[in-house]
Amino acid sequence: MSSDLETFLYMVNIGDRLSVIVGLFIIILSTIGNFCNCFVFSMIPTLNKHPNSLFLIGSSIGSLFFINIGLISPIIRVLTGIDPNIRWLFWCKLSIWLSYSGGCLSFICSCFAALSQFLITSSNIQWQGLITWIRAQFMMLLTAIICLLIFIPLPIYYNHIPTSSTTISCATAHPVISLYSGYSIIVIFYFLPIIVISILFCLTWYNLKHNLRRHRQIDGAVTRMMLIQMSVLLISGIPTGGFLSYLLATQYYTKPLLRLAYEYIIILILLLFSFLTNGISFWVFIFASKTFRKNIKEFVSKWRLFKNRTRPL
């Protein structure tokens, strides 16, 4: 029993180190990438000529909240010994609300982006114009409001719950809310995007193969970038969603310490991988598409040329 406890504590220590090292790397990489996404898809004409760019920007904004708020508290806890969720009740409530809502916005906007890309590559002219700029803006606004409303029970029912005579945790004592928060993550963050993106991936791939000649080169390049990003989301979403389902199904089982330790390490690695794949779309686009890199270089060159011309003599 003593050996199992030592192994458990050792695994928890490894998990804390992973949270800090990998978590900081993900925050830095995803923050730069998400801001770059917002900039290039709003400022570069060749990349923002379709309403699809709005969904990519919305996904990046949601990703900023989802990743940064979701990872910063455990990193601060390990580095300083102070858990913001335990120290401040308002942060306990606000962080879980904004993190869940940001993730909801990010994943749903990714589904909208996949839908829009399928419609753009369709041979049906009416389908190509189905999502307009006005409709895309309305969809974005409505999605943001719905995501905030869906998770409004969390800040209401989450509180500082005593776990022993000396410790407390940021959690909910309401069993329905506990199940709601767990299953909402699985459905909205993983299963729904997996199903939608898988179907649209196949349909867009079919359109790309049969209708590429009808589109300009940039359309084909953007479509390929979207297909690669869809693949990345599926690679992380399927195992993470499956393992979270297993944890929810077995949460009331009595488990030995070693099993708890291994489950903790596995879900930590999967969640970190899920955070990473959610925040690296810009870097995926950069490395996967020569056309994407070319458009950014041309924009930067024109901006430098304009800056040099406007510089006072």
Side-chain angles (χ1 to χ4, degrees):
M1 186 66 179
S2 176
S3 177
D4 289 351
L5 180 59
E6 291 176 358
T7 303
F8 176 80
L9 295 175
Y10 175 73
M11 299 290 276
V12 170
N13 184 53
I14 291 177
D16 288 342
R17 292 176 181 271
L18 279 175
S19 296
V20 172
I21 297 173
V22 181
L24 283 174
F25 171 76
I26 293 173
I27 287 177
I28 295 171
L29 191 70
S30 63
T31 299
I32 296 173
N34 284 323
F35 276 117
C36 288
N37 264 346
C38 294
F39 178 79
V40 300
F41 285 109
S42 60
M43 298 298 295
I44 300 180
T46 51
L47 296 176
N48 67 6
K49 62 181 181 179
H50 293 299
N52 188 36
S53 60
L54 282 177
F55 299 131
L56 295 173
I57 293 172
S59 178
S60 296
I61 293 172
S63 179
L64 282 169
F65 285 94
F66 175 56
I67 295 174
N68 291 357
I69 296 178
L71 289 177
I72 195 64
S73 290
I75 291 175
I76 292 175
R77 175 184 59 80
V78 175
L79 291 178
T80 66
I82 299 173
D83 190 341
N85 289 326
I86 304 301
R87 189 68 175 270
W88 300 290
L89 179 60
F90 83 92
W91 181 252
C92 163
K93 294 174 175 290
L94 186 65
S95 63
I96 192 168
W97 185 38
L98 293 182
S99 179
Y100 277 47
S101 299
C104 175
L105 176 64
S106 179
F107 284 108
I108 292 182
C109 281
S110 295
C111 293
F112 283 154
L115 173 63
S116 179
Q117 204 61 46
F118 160 68
L119 296 176
I120 290 172
T121 57
S122 173
S123 59
N124 190 314
I125 302 299
Q126 292 182 339
W127 285 15
Q128 291 179 19
L130 192 60
I131 297 182
T132 63
W133 285 98
I134 298 299
R135 289 174 181 173
Q137 292 171 10
F138 176 76
M139 292 166 67
M140 281 274 296
L141 179 61
L142 185 62
T143 300
I145 294 173
I146 290 175
C147 286
L148 290 171
L149 292 178
I150 285 176
F151 294 108
I152 198 65
L154 301 187
I156 294 175
Y157 287 97
Y158 266 68
N159 214 324
H160 283 164
I161 306 298
T163 55
S164 68
S165 58
T166 58
T167 59
I168 59 175
S169 66
C170 175
T172 176
H174 201 296
V176 175
I177 299 300
S178 179
L179 289 175
Y180 177 76
S181 63
Y183 282 106
S184 62
I185 289 180
I186 293 176
V187 174
I188 299 176
F189 289 18
Y190 298 105
F191 284 170
L192 180 60
I194 286 171
I195 294 172
V196 173
I197 290 176
S198 296
I199 295 172
L200 293 172
F201 178 93
C202 297
L203 294 174
T204 305
W205 181 261
Y206 175 85
N207 287 343
L208 187 65
K209 287 293 186 181
H210 289 76
N211 304 323
L212 184 59
R213 295 178 182 178
R214 303 170 64 95
H215 301 278
R216 298 177 182 177
Q217 183 182 2
I218 182 63
D219 294 334
V222 172
T223 301
R224 291 190 184 93
M225 292 190 306
M226 288 300 304
L227 288 173
I228 294 172
Q229 177 62 10
M230 291 180 203
S231 303
V232 171
L233 291 175
L234 290 175
I235 289 171
S236 66
I238 293 174
T240 307
F243 199 75
L244 281 173
S245 300
Y246 155 76
L247 291 180
L248 280 177
T250 61
Q251 63 180 325
Y252 298 114
Y253 291 6
T254 301
K255 302 177 183 179
L257 279 177
L258 282 180
R259 181 176 172 181
L260 291 172
Y262 289 127
E263 287 179 354
Y264 166 70
I265 292 296
I266 292 172
I267 192 58
L268 176 63
I269 293 173
L270 289 175
L271 288 175
L272 288 173
F273 185 50
S274 181
F275 279 123
L276 178 65
T277 54
N278 181 263
I280 61 170
S281 59
F282 174 78
W283 306 109
V284 170
F285 297 157
I286 282 285
F287 288 107
S289 174
K290 182 179 179 181
T291 306
F292 187 78
R293 295 194 299 270
K294 179 182 177 182
N295 279 276
I296 293 178
K297 289 179 181 178
E298 289 178 353
F299 179 83
V300 173
S301 299
K302 291 179 181 178
W303 180 79
R304 286 179 177 176
L305 181 62
F306 175 78
K307 185 178 179 182
N308 291 333
R309 286 180 177 178
T310 56
R311 183 177 298 172
L313 296 176

